[in-house]
Amino acid sequence: MSKTNIVKANPQTAILKASPESEVGGKLTEMALDDLKFSLAGSRAPAVIEKTFQKLWKTRNNRFSHEHAYEAVRDGKTLGMIICYPTTLMNKLAMPTFSQLFDLHKWKLIGYYLRHWKELYTMVTLKEGEDDEYHIGILATLPESRGLGVGTELIRHAEKQAVLQGLTKSSLTVRQENTGAIKLYERLGYKKVGEINKPAVSLYRMSKVLV
């Protein structure tokens, strides 16, 4: 790992460019997506869901790839992960992501969508960010990381990446009932700029001016 890929978060924790071989990358993605993981995997079977997100994590050119992720590592263990990118790139990854999901599940995926059309409608019509923003698509930490500031350090790292790429705003979405996460984001300077109310999910859109 080159020095350019390592950012010290505090004396014990480092933010590293994610590895495709990470043991928890796919699991953390699954945790962050909550019920949306069913729609993406086209199944509610735990084994199918786990296989889906491990595959997406290891593969490049999709929304949930290690390619766009950073891990918070302490004492050799990954405690949290963030996936972030310019919103324009995130939107371009939508079709490649679906293509990889179809290759993985074939017509079972289509069958699931026919049975759960509201979930499909939610995914297709979900607008998470504006084109001039750097979007935090996934943020997840393991329970044992609570109180260590891991989520805060991952968000700050994403914001630095945004500035390096010439963007002056960062954004994210959060479930309206997730009051703990909302308080964290507000403490870090994020403001509610809109609501997303779909048949399968209700979210706040939050944004922050970086410079």
Side-chain angles (χ1 to χ4, degrees), residues 14 35 50 57 67 90 94 97 133 138 170 172 174 183 192:
D35 289 350
E50 180 180 1
W57 176 264
E67 186 179 11
M90 178 182 72
T97 301
E133 295 172 339
I138 296 289
S170 63
L172 52 85
V174 58
K183 288 180 180 178
K192 295 173 186 174

PDB file of all heavy atoms in Angstrom, residues 14 35 50 57 67 90 94 97 133 138 170 172 174 183 192:
ATOM      1  N   ALA A  14      -6.607   4.334  10.618  1.00  0.00           N
ATOM      2  CA  ALA A  14      -6.182   4.845   9.324  1.00  0.00           C
ATOM      3  C   ALA A  14      -7.304   4.646   8.309  1.00  0.00           C
ATOM      4  O   ALA A  14      -8.045   3.656   8.379  1.00  0.00           O
ATOM      5  CB  ALA A  14      -4.913   4.136   8.854  1.00  0.00           C
ATOM      6  N   ASP A  35     -33.333  -2.405   3.837  1.00  0.00           N
ATOM      7  CA  ASP A  35     -34.298  -3.142   3.016  1.00  0.00           C
ATOM      8  C   ASP A  35     -34.021  -3.055   1.517  1.00  0.00           C
ATOM      9  O   ASP A  35     -34.474  -3.914   0.748  1.00  0.00           O
ATOM     10  CB  ASP A  35     -35.720  -2.640   3.286  1.00  0.00           C
ATOM     11  CG  ASP A  35     -36.220  -3.047   4.669  1.00  0.00           C
ATOM     12  OD1 ASP A  35     -35.548  -3.856   5.324  1.00  0.00           O
ATOM     13  OD2 ASP A  35     -37.283  -2.538   5.089  1.00  0.00           O
ATOM     14  N   GLU A  50     -25.860 -12.139   0.532  1.00  0.00           N
ATOM     15  CA  GLU A  50     -24.427 -12.088   0.853  1.00  0.00           C
ATOM     16  C   GLU A  50     -23.582 -12.302  -0.396  1.00  0.00           C
ATOM     17  O   GLU A  50     -22.609 -11.558  -0.643  1.00  0.00           O
ATOM     18  CB  GLU A  50     -24.085 -13.152   1.899  1.00  0.00           C
ATOM     19  CG  GLU A  50     -22.612 -13.156   2.276  1.00  0.00           C
ATOM     20  CD  GLU A  50     -22.277 -14.207   3.325  1.00  0.00           C
ATOM     21  OE1 GLU A  50     -23.202 -14.946   3.744  1.00  0.00           O
ATOM     22  OE2 GLU A  50     -21.094 -14.302   3.715  1.00  0.00           O
ATOM     23  N   TRP A  57     -18.798  -6.067  -4.615  1.00  0.00           N
ATOM     24  CA  TRP A  57     -17.643  -5.460  -3.951  1.00  0.00           C
ATOM     25  C   TRP A  57     -16.347  -5.807  -4.689  1.00  0.00           C
ATOM     26  O   TRP A  57     -15.498  -4.942  -4.920  1.00  0.00           O
ATOM     27  CB  TRP A  57     -17.565  -5.927  -2.502  1.00  0.00           C
ATOM     28  CG  TRP A  57     -16.356  -5.437  -1.770  1.00  0.00           C
ATOM     29  CD1 TRP A  57     -15.178  -6.112  -1.585  1.00  0.00           C
ATOM     30  CD2 TRP A  57     -16.177  -4.165  -1.136  1.00  0.00           C
ATOM     31  NE1 TRP A  57     -14.287  -5.350  -0.872  1.00  0.00           N
ATOM     32  CE2 TRP A  57     -14.879  -4.150  -0.581  1.00  0.00           C
ATOM     33  CE3 TRP A  57     -16.992  -3.055  -0.965  1.00  0.00           C
ATOM     34  CZ2 TRP A  57     -14.371  -3.059   0.114  1.00  0.00           C
ATOM     35  CZ3 TRP A  57     -16.496  -1.966  -0.263  1.00  0.00           C
ATOM     36  CH2 TRP A  57     -15.205  -1.971   0.265  1.00  0.00           C
ATOM     37  N   GLU A  67     -13.776  -0.267  -5.729  1.00  0.00           N
ATOM     38  CA  GLU A  67     -13.115   0.747  -6.555  1.00  0.00           C
ATOM     39  C   GLU A  67     -13.399   2.167  -6.070  1.00  0.00           C
ATOM     40  O   GLU A  67     -12.576   3.066  -6.226  1.00  0.00           O
ATOM     41  CB  GLU A  67     -13.597   0.561  -7.998  1.00  0.00           C
ATOM     42  CG  GLU A  67     -12.933   1.414  -9.044  1.00  0.00           C
ATOM     43  CD  GLU A  67     -13.488   1.123 -10.429  1.00  0.00           C
ATOM     44  OE1 GLU A  67     -14.518   0.411 -10.540  1.00  0.00           O
ATOM     45  OE2 GLU A  67     -12.880   1.617 -11.392  1.00  0.00           O
ATOM     46  N   MET A  90     -21.738   8.337 -10.251  1.00  0.00           N
ATOM     47  CA  MET A  90     -22.693   7.415  -9.640  1.00  0.00           C
ATOM     48  C   MET A  90     -23.834   7.105 -10.606  1.00  0.00           C
ATOM     49  O   MET A  90     -24.237   5.940 -10.767  1.00  0.00           O
ATOM     50  CB  MET A  90     -23.251   8.011  -8.354  1.00  0.00           C
ATOM     51  CG  MET A  90     -24.289   7.144  -7.659  1.00  0.00           C
ATOM     52  SD  MET A  90     -24.969   7.915  -6.164  1.00  0.00           S
ATOM     53  CE  MET A  90     -25.991   9.218  -6.900  1.00  0.00           C
ATOM     54  N   ALA A  94     -25.203   3.254 -12.919  1.00  0.00           N
ATOM     55  CA  ALA A  94     -26.496   2.586 -12.711  1.00  0.00           C
ATOM     56  C   ALA A  94     -26.686   1.404 -13.667  1.00  0.00           C
ATOM     57  O   ALA A  94     -27.011   0.292 -13.226  1.00  0.00           O
ATOM     58  CB  ALA A  94     -27.628   3.590 -12.862  1.00  0.00           C
ATOM     59  N   THR A  97     -24.234  -1.502 -13.126  1.00  0.00           N
ATOM     60  CA  THR A  97     -24.603  -2.217 -11.904  1.00  0.00           C
ATOM     61  C   THR A  97     -25.741  -3.197 -12.185  1.00  0.00           C
ATOM     62  O   THR A  97     -25.685  -4.369 -11.791  1.00  0.00           O
ATOM     63  CB  THR A  97     -25.029  -1.234 -10.801  1.00  0.00           C
ATOM     64  OG1 THR A  97     -23.956  -0.330 -10.532  1.00  0.00           O
ATOM     65  CG2 THR A  97     -25.392  -1.978  -9.520  1.00  0.00           C
ATOM     66  N   GLU A 133     -22.574  17.750  -7.113  1.00  0.00           N
ATOM     67  CA  GLU A 133     -22.247  17.257  -5.776  1.00  0.00           C
ATOM     68  C   GLU A 133     -21.348  16.020  -5.830  1.00  0.00           C
ATOM     69  O   GLU A 133     -21.331  15.285  -6.820  1.00  0.00           O
ATOM     70  CB  GLU A 133     -23.524  16.893  -5.010  1.00  0.00           C
ATOM     71  CG  GLU A 133     -24.433  18.080  -4.722  1.00  0.00           C
ATOM     72  CD  GLU A 133     -25.762  17.667  -4.136  1.00  0.00           C
ATOM     73  OE1 GLU A 133     -26.160  16.490  -4.300  1.00  0.00           O
ATOM     74  OE2 GLU A 133     -26.414  18.514  -3.525  1.00  0.00           O
ATOM     75  N   ILE A 138     -22.660   5.085   0.341  1.00  0.00           N
ATOM     76  CA  ILE A 138     -22.721   4.074   1.395  1.00  0.00           C
ATOM     77  C   ILE A 138     -21.823   4.505   2.551  1.00  0.00           C
ATOM     78  O   ILE A 138     -20.671   4.908   2.338  1.00  0.00           O
ATOM     79  CB  ILE A 138     -22.232   2.700   0.892  1.00  0.00           C
ATOM     80  CG1 ILE A 138     -23.144   2.146  -0.206  1.00  0.00           C
ATOM     81  CG2 ILE A 138     -22.125   1.700   2.045  1.00  0.00           C
ATOM     82  CD1 ILE A 138     -24.502   1.687   0.262  1.00  0.00           C
ATOM     83  N   SER A 170     -20.971  18.257  -0.946  1.00  0.00           N
ATOM     84  CA  SER A 170     -21.140  16.822  -0.781  1.00  0.00           C
ATOM     85  C   SER A 170     -22.577  16.550  -0.351  1.00  0.00           C
ATOM     86  O   SER A 170     -23.237  17.421   0.221  1.00  0.00           O
ATOM     87  CB  SER A 170     -20.157  16.262   0.251  1.00  0.00           C
ATOM     88  OG  SER A 170     -20.388  16.820   1.522  1.00  0.00           O
ATOM     89  N   LEU A 172     -25.710  13.267   0.703  1.00  0.00           N
ATOM     90  CA  LEU A 172     -26.025  11.907   1.118  1.00  0.00           C
ATOM     91  C   LEU A 172     -27.523  11.796   1.318  1.00  0.00           C
ATOM     92  O   LEU A 172     -28.227  12.810   1.348  1.00  0.00           O
ATOM     93  CB  LEU A 172     -25.275  11.540   2.408  1.00  0.00           C
ATOM     94  CG  LEU A 172     -25.409  12.495   3.603  1.00  0.00           C
ATOM     95  CD1 LEU A 172     -26.658  12.187   4.422  1.00  0.00           C
ATOM     96  CD2 LEU A 172     -24.188  12.419   4.492  1.00  0.00           C
ATOM     97  N   VAL A 174     -30.500   9.734   3.852  1.00  0.00           N
ATOM     98  CA  VAL A 174     -30.637   9.024   5.115  1.00  0.00           C
ATOM     99  C   VAL A 174     -32.108   8.738   5.359  1.00  0.00           C
ATOM    100  O   VAL A 174     -32.977   9.544   5.001  1.00  0.00           O
ATOM    101  CB  VAL A 174     -30.042   9.859   6.278  1.00  0.00           C
ATOM    102  CG1 VAL A 174     -30.708  11.219   6.388  1.00  0.00           C
ATOM    103  CG2 VAL A 174     -30.115   9.109   7.600  1.00  0.00           C
ATOM    104  N   LYS A 183     -28.589  13.261  13.304  1.00  0.00           N
ATOM    105  CA  LYS A 183     -27.900  14.139  14.252  1.00  0.00           C
ATOM    106  C   LYS A 183     -26.404  14.204  13.955  1.00  0.00           C
ATOM    107  O   LYS A 183     -25.779  15.269  14.057  1.00  0.00           O
ATOM    108  CB  LYS A 183     -28.136  13.648  15.682  1.00  0.00           C
ATOM    109  CG  LYS A 183     -29.556  13.885  16.192  1.00  0.00           C
ATOM    110  CD  LYS A 183     -29.719  13.360  17.620  1.00  0.00           C
ATOM    111  CE  LYS A 183     -31.132  13.598  18.124  1.00  0.00           C
ATOM    112  NZ  LYS A 183     -31.325  13.050  19.500  1.00  0.00           N
ATOM    113  N   LYS A 192     -30.727  19.394   5.693  1.00  0.00           N
ATOM    114  CA  LYS A 192     -31.778  18.763   4.897  1.00  0.00           C
ATOM    115  C   LYS A 192     -32.153  19.689   3.741  1.00  0.00           C
ATOM    116  O   LYS A 192     -32.466  20.857   3.951  1.00  0.00           O
ATOM    117  CB  LYS A 192     -33.012  18.491   5.755  1.00  0.00           C
ATOM    118  CG  LYS A 192     -32.771  17.483   6.868  1.00  0.00           C
ATOM    119  CD  LYS A 192     -33.986  17.387   7.790  1.00  0.00           C
ATOM    120  CE  LYS A 192     -33.708  16.489   8.983  1.00  0.00           C
ATOM    121  NZ  LYS A 192     -34.816  16.502   9.963  1.00  0.00           N
TER     122      LYS A 192
END
